[in-house]
Amino acid sequence: MTYFTEWNGTLLAGNFSRASSSDIKIWGEQNLTTVDLPYGTAVAFNPAGGVMQFASVSNVFAGVVVRDIYPNAAPNGEITEIAKIGIGDGIRVQKVPGQTFTRGARALIQCGGVDAGKFTATASATTVDVGYIVDKVGGGTNGVIEVTLKTSQVAGA
């Protein structure tokens, strides 16, 4: 179950802010790994089946872990909800600690390490760009931003 609105304005990882039945895609994938998958993190397709944490830039983006019936994360060995968003949709995701985001800036996925699957503002050899941009920056200290799918190109970018 996902919640589309938080009345106090807090951004919760793995929740939607805007959704369109024609664009947003949510499906169940099994977490066949030995780790829980935190809500609001990007995951990759697991060659063994289901989804897994990003381990390298060569992994293929599957989607974002959506808030479900479990308290804080999708447990290993269980089915978890995975979402891909379209233009105009918004989903709340976890950010790498210490990163500063601005609305309209790229949101890149950190591949591997302690922040695997979290979003970063800093491009590097360990990040991938799946076309998400920042739509909203949370006012609290919970480390969550809202992203949407990039809709336009800027010359030279």
Side-chain angles (χ1 to χ4, degrees):
M1 170 171 58
T2 59
Y3 301 96
F4 291 85
T5 304
E6 291 78 45
W7 294 105
N8 67 0
T10 302
L11 302 182
L12 296 176
N15 283 10
F16 297 102
S17 61
R18 296 183 312 249
S20 165
S21 61
S22 63
D23 292 334
I24 199 158
K25 307 292 183 227
I26 303 171
W27 66 97
E29 287 277 5
Q30 193 163 9
N31 175 3
L32 296 177
T33 68
T34 59
V35 298
D36 294 349
L37 300 173
Y39 295 136
T41 58
V43 290
F45 287 105
N46 185 343
V51 292
M52 64 182 195
Q53 282 186 316
F54 264 94
S56 78
V57 294
S58 64
N59 293 147
V60 177
F61 175 66
V64 174
V65 180
V66 176
R67 193 164 288 279
D68 199 353
I69 61 171
Y70 308 105
N72 300 310
N76 64 76
E78 299 293 331
I79 299 291
T80 184
E81 291 184 23
I82 304 298
K84 280 192 180 173
I85 59 173
I87 294 170
D89 297 326
I91 190 168
R92 279 87 189 260
V93 297
Q94 292 190 37
K95 66 177 187 169
V96 172
Q99 293 290 293
T100 301
F101 289 90
T102 57
R103 189 165 196 258
R106 292 186 307 163
L108 310 164
I109 299 169
Q110 178 64 47
C111 301
V114 68
D115 293 317
K118 292 181 181 179
F119 287 76
T120 180
T122 308
S124 74
T126 60
T127 61
V128 294
D129 185 349
V130 295
Y132 288 168
I133 59 169
V134 178
D135 191 33
K136 203 177 282 181
V137 178
T141 58
N142 64 340
V144 177
I145 59 172
E146 179 179 311
V147 296
T148 189
L149 189 61
K150 185 176 181 178
T151 59
S152 62
Q153 295 291 334
V154 176

